[in-house]
Amino acid sequence: MRPLYLKIENFKSYGENFNEIDFKNIKVACIVGKNGNGKSSIAEAITWALFGEFERLQTGRRGKISETEYINSHKDYMQVEFEFEIDKLVYRVVRRLDRRGKKYLSLFIKKNDVLIPISEANYTQTQNRLERILGIDFNVFLHSAYLSQKRTEDFLLSSPEERREILAKILNLGVYDRINELAKEKKKEKKMMLDLKIKESEEKLKLTSEEESIKTSILELEEKTKKITGELDTLKNELNNLVFQKYEIEQNLKSIEEKKREREEIRRKHESIKQKIEDSKKELTKIEDELKSESEITLKAREYEILKNNLEALEKEYNTFVKLKNDIALIEKEISGKIEQKKIFEKSVKETTEKLSRENSELSKYEEELKKSEIEISNVEKELEKIKGLKQELEEKRDEITKIEKFLEVVDSKLKELATNYKLIESNKGKCPVCLRKINGEEEKEHIKREIASQGREYKEKKEKLNLKLSSLKKQYQELEEKVKQEEVLRTKEKKLHGVYENLKAKVEQKKQNIKNLQDSIFNDEQNIKACEQEVIKLELRLKDLKDDLNKLNFDEENYNILLQKVKELEVYQNLLKTIEINKVKAENLRNHILEYQKEEDELSKKIQEIDRELSDMLSQSSAEKLSKIKSDINSCEIKISRLQEDLNSILKEIGIFEQKLSQIKEAKKKLLVLEKEIEEIKKEIEIYDIIIDITGPDGIKNEIIANTLPLVRDEANRLLKLLTNGAFSIDFKTQKEMASGKTIETLQIEISDKNGTRNYELFSGGELFRINFAIRIALAKVLLKRAGASIRMLILDEGFGSQDEEGKDHIIECLNQIKDQFDTILVITHIEDLMDAFDQKIIVKKDIEGSKIFVV
């Protein structure tokens, strides 16, 4: 993999400007800057873009932290774009994370400067595809392409036993431990399954041994079944004969009951007819008594007709009389209502006039308060206008302060540069700061030193003046800031005053509307009073006309009521006359009915006598005792059949159980064959898991991989050490250690050989130790990449040169130059500024109030 382009947005201390690196023309470069400026963040950004992970989150440093803590504290998201080339294909990955923790990942392939999306359906699937393209995972990348001093110390400065475990982790040998554990679990499961299968096989074998005894028992039970079946058939025939005899007797008894019911029905009819004759005779006697007063009722009915005709003649005058009286009553009531309405309206006018007076008083009060509120708002607005001018002045002061601070940075940088040049000239390693040629002679050297000192004094004087001016500006800025802070108080006051003003304004408008409504109400009530007075006058005139009409009619209401009462009293005789005519017809009908009922009574008496004779004959032919004996015989026979049936069912149930057992035995024989085969297969699987456990165990494939990997690391490390130490050192790895007890344990010791002999790695320190560490880590990185088959031709070295002397640093640079052809890009991260000159290409990281910024020089 060769890096081509990197863009960092809002990642840690980075913002949205000066955040891009074009790697196309970078071969070996140092990333330099002060501690905390964001040098290592460039490597972290590349790692996060490729794998979406952070080493701190993996190792748990700093306790629990969230990915979102890497987002610039002033922003809502972070994003990294990274373009790289692998196997002659160009890819671009864009990874984004927002403050809510929402992740985005887009993957592109670049063809003819056109980005073609190749992202998968979701985030995880896209990440898997990206790692397939890279050929490595996060763990391998950290130990092969991105080497840090911390990870180097974790590996090399651990005890030999711990070092072996870390190497196993780097080589991702933990997968074999997981395979070993899984194989043990599977073996345990298979053993449990084998025990169950063997137990099941033994049970099936025991079941098959009972087959012959079960068959003999079934034959014996079948013989008993035949005998019981014969006895049951005989008893069932006997039972059928008894049931038929019982049926005949019961049918005869049933016929007797039916005749009895028939006789009872006829008897009830006979009694009913006798009662009807009696009732008809009583009703006839009553009607004949009523017909005796026929002449008196007829006279009264005629008197009713005469009075009724007289009443009808007076009906028209009566109706007119009633209508006039009702109309007079209604008009009198209406006049009374109008007078009451007038009183209500007059009362309303009085109450509304009092309210109007109060509303006018309150309106005057609110209008006075409204004027005061307008004056207060005007005063606050004037104060806010002043603050607006102060804010403009504050912005100008802030810009002036920023300019002076930036100029002070330039002055500081220049003073540092002059100090460096002064030291270089003093150590005879300097060049002329103007023409860059080498300095010859003490006189020229002293002249240049005086020039540098003079420039230094000038810059110091400028710095002092600038600091004084900056201090004055900051003081003015603070004073202005305090004044501007009053804006929020004034804004709150203005808002409150506007609220009071609007409230008062609304109250004034409401009062005006109330006054108008009250005035309208008084006007309407006065109009209604006038209308009521006019209506009363009209109604009184109408009332006078109606009373005149009533007097003219001169109707005798008392005489009319006496006549009406007499008609009502005589009306009953008219109805009684009609009843007499009806009773005459009823009497004739009753006489005819009595004759018919007497004839029907005679016929029913004859039928009852005939049925009595038939019943006497039938009772002589039936025997209740005979029916009782037959029922007893049937019950006895049913009991015997029931017992025999129970015996038969019991035997059949036993036969069914035995046949079920035979079926189970048949299935058991089949299952035995299957179980024997399954047991053999499980035993073979257990043997396979034993082999896997041995291979992936402590003495298995992990030792083999480490043993095969270490010579490759040793040879590559010694080749690099030869360059770094002028052939003074070489290394070797020991993977076993014999204990005092004679037992041999697995370990990973590093032995260093020089002209004085062989020493353990732990006895070295300082620059020597760093060279050894550097060689081992570079060698391990190259072996890891070769082992993974990945084309990651990028190397990032983070810190680690501080302990080197000048010669050691030269050797490091020489070593980097030696290995640079094996990598497309090498990035060295350091805070040591005097190491910069050793690199032709530099990535400088600076940090100001806007955040970290990248400059490629």
Side-chain angles (χ1 to χ4, degrees):
M1 178 189 73
R2 181 168 75 94
L4 300 176
Y5 171 76
L6 175 69
K7 183 178 180 182
I8 305 169
E9 285 185 52
N10 308 325
F11 185 91
K12 297 180 78 173
S13 59
Y14 285 88
E16 296 176 0
N17 299 311
F18 300 97
N19 57 356
E20 298 179 49
I21 303 176
D22 187 346
F23 292 105
K24 293 185 185 69
N25 298 317
I26 294 177
K27 180 68 176 175
V28 180
C30 72
I31 302 174
V32 68
K34 294 179 181 178
N35 285 332
N37 276 15
K39 305 183 299 297
S40 297
S41 295
I42 293 172
E44 286 181 315
I46 292 171
T47 307
W48 184 68
L50 292 173
F51 301 100
E53 296 188 51
F54 296 98
E55 185 180 11
R56 291 182 183 182
L57 298 180
Q58 289 282 320
T59 59
R61 284 190 290 174
R62 286 175 51 196
K64 275 193 173 182
I65 59 173
S66 167
E67 279 186 285
T68 54
E69 290 189 30
Y70 285 82
I71 300 173
N72 187 312
S73 59
H74 302 295
K75 303 293 179 181
D76 293 325
Y77 75 96
M78 67 178 182
Q79 180 171 297
V80 178
E81 294 181 37
F82 184 56
E83 192 173 289
F84 58 92
E85 180 184 346
I86 191 165
D87 296 334
K88 298 182 180 180
L89 294 174
V90 177
Y91 298 92
R92 178 172 290 195
V93 58
V94 181
R95 195 180 299 271
R96 182 185 179 100
L97 176 71
D98 65 25
R99 186 69 67 186
R100 298 170 300 168
K102 179 70 175 176
K103 298 178 180 180
Y104 305 88
L105 177 60
S106 300
L107 186 60
F108 304 89
I109 189 168
K110 194 172 184 180
K111 293 184 179 179
N112 301 322
D113 291 329
V114 176
L115 291 174
I116 302 167
I118 57 170
S119 300
E120 297 291 343
N122 57 46
Y123 183 93
T124 304
Q125 291 174 3
T126 304
Q127 181 61 42
N128 292 339
R129 180 168 188 176
L130 176 57
E131 290 186 16
R132 287 198 298 273
I133 291 168
L134 295 170
I136 59 171
D137 61 14
F138 178 67
N139 181 59
V140 174
F141 181 81
L142 289 182
H143 293 93
S144 59
Y146 177 20
L147 308 182
S148 73
Q149 185 178 2
K150 174 66 174 66
R151 285 194 295 278
T152 300
E153 290 173 353
D154 286 345
F155 173 58
L156 296 170
L157 299 184
S158 300
S159 68
E161 289 74 23
E162 290 173 344
R163 190 182 296 137
R164 181 184 178 86
E165 290 301 317
I166 294 169
L167 178 62
K169 185 178 179 182
I170 292 170
L171 295 171
N172 201 23
L173 300 183
V175 66
Y176 297 108
D177 292 331
R178 291 192 292 276
I179 292 170
N180 186 273
E181 290 170 6
L182 187 62
K184 286 177 179 178
E185 288 175 8
K186 290 290 182 183
K187 179 184 174 183
K188 187 178 178 182
E189 289 174 9
K190 292 296 177 183
K191 274 193 170 183
M192 288 174 67
M193 192 182 293
L194 180 64
D195 292 342
L196 290 172
K197 295 290 181 184
I198 290 170
K199 187 177 179 182
E200 188 181 356
S201 176
E202 289 171 352
E203 289 173 355
K204 299 295 180 188
L205 195 63
K206 183 181 177 183
L207 184 62
T208 56
S209 64
E210 300 174 2
E211 185 177 10
E212 288 302 321
S213 63
I214 289 170
K215 285 181 178 178
T216 304
S217 297
I218 289 171
L219 289 172
E220 291 173 355
L221 290 170
E222 284 175 346
E223 285 297 321
K224 287 182 180 180
T225 301
K226 288 177 183 178
K227 183 179 178 183
I228 291 170
T229 303
E231 291 176 6
L232 274 171
D233 290 341
T234 303
L235 284 169
K236 283 177 181 178
N237 290 331
E238 185 181 339
L239 179 63
N240 288 336
N241 291 329
L242 289 168
V243 168
F244 180 72
Q245 292 176 25
K246 176 175 169 279
Y247 173 75
E248 285 182 335
I249 293 169
E250 284 176 344
Q251 285 298 111
N252 188 37
L253 291 171
K254 188 177 179 182
S255 298
I256 291 169
E257 289 299 320
E258 285 176 357
K259 282 292 179 184
K260 285 179 178 180
R261 284 195 294 274
E262 185 183 354
R263 183 187 183 285
E264 182 61 26
E265 183 66 27
I266 292 168
R267 186 192 65 76
R268 282 198 298 272
K269 284 183 180 181
H270 182 262
E271 291 296 326
S272 176
I273 292 297
K274 282 174 72 177
Q275 186 63 42
K276 283 179 181 180
I277 292 168
E278 187 67 28
D279 293 341
S280 296
K281 285 179 178 180
K282 286 179 182 179
E283 190 176 356
L284 182 59
T285 303
K286 183 182 177 183
I287 288 170
E288 286 173 346
D289 289 340
E290 288 176 357
L291 287 173
K292 289 175 183 178
S293 58
E294 180 180 1
S295 58
E296 183 186 350
I297 290 168
T298 303
L299 287 171
K300 293 286 185 183
R302 286 174 184 170
E303 186 181 354
Y304 165 78
E305 287 296 330
I306 293 165
L307 291 173
K308 185 182 177 186
N309 290 333
N310 293 336
L311 190 65
E312 287 173 355
L314 294 170
E315 190 75 29
K316 187 176 180 183
E317 288 184 14
Y318 174 75
N319 290 336
T320 304
F321 173 78
V322 170
K323 185 177 183 306
L324 286 169
K325 283 188 74 174
N326 289 339
D327 289 345
I328 288 166
L330 286 171
I331 289 171
E332 286 175 343
K333 188 177 180 181
E334 197 170 345
I335 289 169
S336 177
K338 290 294 178 182
I339 290 168
E340 286 299 318
Q341 280 185 4
K342 181 185 173 187
K343 288 178 181 178
I344 291 166
F345 287 130
E346 287 171 345
K347 185 180 178 183
S348 176
V349 167
K350 184 180 177 183
E351 291 174 352
T352 307
T353 303
E354 290 172 357
K355 285 183 183 177
L356 183 61
S357 176
R358 288 196 298 272
E359 291 292 327
N360 280 320
S361 175
E362 289 180 8
L363 176 62
S364 299
K365 178 185 169 185
Y366 288 141
E367 284 176 338
E368 185 64 31
E369 289 179 6
L370 193 64
K371 287 177 184 177
K372 289 180 183 177
S373 182
E374 285 174 346
I375 293 166
E376 288 182 3
I377 289 168
S378 176
N379 293 336
V380 171
E381 286 175 346
K382 286 175 184 176
E383 289 293 323
L384 285 170
E385 193 62 35
K386 287 179 184 177
I387 286 174
K388 188 177 179 183
L390 291 173
K391 284 175 78 175
Q392 182 64 34
E393 190 178 344
L394 190 69
E395 286 298 318
E396 291 170 1
K397 295 289 181 190
R398 185 189 289 121
D399 293 341
E400 198 171 347
I401 288 167
T402 304
K403 286 178 184 176
I404 290 171
E405 286 176 339
K406 287 184 178 178
F407 194 56
L408 277 169
E409 286 183 9
V410 173
V411 170
D412 284 337
S413 177
K414 193 65 181 176
L415 282 169
K416 285 182 182 178
E417 185 182 341
L418 289 169
T420 302
N421 289 339
Y422 193 90
K423 287 178 183 177
L424 289 171
I425 290 165
E426 278 200 329
S427 62
N428 291 325
K429 291 183 181 179
K431 294 179 182 180
C432 176
V434 179
C435 61
L436 300 178
R437 67 180 178 79
K438 203 164 185 177
I439 298 169
N440 297 314
E442 285 297 320
E443 186 179 346
E444 186 179 2
K445 177 180 174 183
E446 289 300 320
H447 172 71
I448 293 168
K449 281 169 68 179
R450 284 194 298 275
E451 286 292 323
I452 291 170
S454 175
Q455 289 178 21
R457 283 192 296 275
E458 287 176 11
Y459 278 112
K460 282 180 181 179
E461 287 173 4
K462 284 182 183 178
K463 184 177 178 181
E464 287 172 1
K465 289 177 182 178
L466 287 168
N467 279 328
L468 286 170
K469 190 176 180 180
L470 182 63
S471 177
S472 175
L473 283 169
K474 283 184 176 179
K475 186 177 179 182
Q476 293 171 23
Y477 183 85
Q478 286 173 354
E479 289 171 355
L480 286 169
E481 200 171 32
E482 287 299 319
K483 290 178 181 179
V484 169
K485 283 179 181 177
Q486 293 299 314
E487 182 184 17
E488 188 176 346
V489 176
L490 288 168
R491 290 286 179 199
T492 304
K493 187 176 179 181
E494 182 190 29
K495 186 177 179 182
K496 187 177 178 181
L497 286 170
H498 274 294
V500 171
Y501 177 80
E502 290 300 325
N503 190 27
L504 286 169
K505 191 176 176 182
K507 284 181 177 179
V508 167
E509 291 300 321
Q510 184 62 49
K511 290 298 174 185
K512 286 179 178 178
Q513 185 63 43
N514 289 349
I515 288 166
K516 185 180 179 302
N517 292 341
L518 289 169
Q519 288 171 342
D520 290 344
S521 179
I522 289 169
F523 176 77
N524 291 334
D525 287 343
E526 287 173 346
Q527 291 297 111
N528 288 330
I529 288 167
K530 289 177 183 178
C532 285
E533 288 172 348
Q534 289 171 1
E535 286 291 326
V536 168
I537 292 167
K538 288 178 183 178
L539 288 168
E540 284 176 345
L541 290 171
R542 174 67 179 149
L543 180 64
K544 184 177 178 301
D545 292 339
L546 288 170
K547 285 181 177 180
D548 290 344
D549 291 341
L550 186 64
N551 291 330
K552 287 176 186 177
L553 184 61
N554 194 24
F555 182 76
D556 189 351
E557 187 180 5
E558 185 180 352
N559 183 51
Y560 178 83
N561 288 333
I562 292 168
L563 183 61
L564 180 63
Q565 183 62 34
K566 189 68 174 172
V567 168
K568 286 179 179 178
E569 289 172 359
L570 292 172
E571 189 177 7
V572 69
Y573 291 103
Q574 180 70 16
N575 295 330
L576 286 171
L577 186 63
K578 290 177 183 178
T579 304
I580 285 170
E581 294 299 324
I582 293 166
N583 284 339
K584 285 179 180 179
V585 176
K586 275 186 177 181
E588 187 60 33
N589 290 335
L590 283 169
R591 292 186 190 98
N592 293 332
H593 286 157
I594 289 168
L595 291 172
E596 289 173 4
Y597 289 150
Q598 287 173 342
K599 185 179 179 182
E600 189 175 351
E601 182 190 9
D602 293 340
E603 290 175 358
L604 288 171
S605 295
K606 289 177 182 178
K607 278 188 179 181
I608 288 169
Q609 290 172 3
E610 187 180 343
I611 288 169
D612 286 342
R613 284 194 298 271
E614 289 177 4
L615 278 172
S616 178
D617 294 340
M618 291 172 76
L619 286 169
S620 63
Q621 296 172 5
S622 176
S623 173
E625 292 178 2
K626 188 177 181 182
L627 179 62
S628 177
K629 185 178 182 307
I630 288 171
K631 283 182 177 180
S632 175
D633 292 343
I634 288 171
N635 185 47
S636 176
C637 191
E638 285 175 343
I639 289 168
K640 289 178 182 177
I641 290 170
S642 177
R643 287 173 181 168
L644 285 171
Q645 190 66 52
E646 285 177 3
D647 293 342
L648 180 63
N649 290 341
S650 177
I651 291 166
L652 290 172
K653 188 176 180 181
E654 284 186 60
I655 291 170
I657 290 166
F658 285 131
E659 286 177 344
Q660 190 176 2
K661 281 189 177 181
L662 284 177
S663 178
Q664 289 173 354
I665 289 166
K666 186 178 179 182
E667 290 297 321
K669 285 181 178 179
K670 292 179 183 177
K671 186 66 178 177
L672 267 172
L673 296 172
V674 174
L675 284 169
E676 287 170 0
K677 188 177 179 182
E678 287 177 350
I679 287 166
E680 287 303 314
E681 287 176 356
I682 292 169
K683 285 179 179 177
K684 287 178 183 177
E685 287 179 8
I686 290 170
E687 289 175 5
I688 292 167
Y689 285 126
D690 284 333
I691 293 167
I692 292 170
I693 290 165
D694 289 340
I695 290 171
T696 57
D699 301 322
I701 193 168
K702 291 197 295 182
N703 280 350
E704 190 70 23
I705 291 170
I706 291 171
N708 291 335
T709 302
L710 286 174
L712 300 174
V713 176
R714 179 197 62 204
D715 295 345
E716 183 63 28
N718 283 333
R719 191 181 70 77
L720 291 171
L721 270 176
K722 188 175 180 182
L723 289 171
L724 290 171
T725 64
N726 291 323
F729 295 103
S730 65
I731 68 165
D732 197 8
F733 298 109
K734 299 295 181 183
T735 58
Q736 291 186 332
K737 180 181 177 182
E738 188 173 341
M739 305 298 288
S741 61
K743 183 182 176 182
T744 301
I745 64 168
E746 297 298 330
T747 183
L748 180 54
Q749 291 180 305
I750 303 173
E751 293 183 346
I752 314 298
S753 300
D754 59 10
K755 62 184 179 180
N756 297 320
T758 300
R759 288 180 288 165
N760 283 335
Y761 168 86
E762 286 77 12
L763 298 175
F764 286 81
S765 63
E768 291 176 344
L769 182 62
F770 173 79
R771 293 182 183 91
I772 293 164
N773 290 346
F774 181 78
I776 292 171
R777 289 302 289 147
I778 294 293
L780 183 58
K782 292 179 70 177
V783 170
L784 277 174
L785 289 172
K786 185 176 180 182
R787 185 170 174 268
S791 302
I792 309 297
R793 294 178 57 78
M794 177 182 74
L795 181 64
I796 302 172
L797 300 173
D798 192 354
E799 297 293 354
F801 302 132
S803 62
Q804 299 302 298
D805 55 24
E806 292 300 323
E807 186 179 356
K809 291 173 184 175
D810 291 340
H811 281 308
I812 293 294
I813 300 303
E814 184 182 351
C815 186
L816 288 172
N817 288 327
Q818 286 289 330
I819 67 171
K820 70 181 180 181
D821 293 334
Q822 300 171 30
F823 296 91
D824 291 323
T825 305
I826 298 176
L827 301 175
V828 178
I829 300 172
T830 181
H831 67 283
I832 304 169
E833 293 187 1
D834 60 2
L835 197 64
M836 287 172 58
D837 293 337
F839 292 87
D840 295 330
Q841 295 171 306
K842 306 170 189 67
I843 299 170
I844 300 171
V845 181
K846 294 184 177 182
K847 190 175 182 182
D848 57 21
I849 56 173
E850 294 177 357
S852 299
K853 295 178 180 178
I854 298 169
F855 302 91
V856 180
V857 296

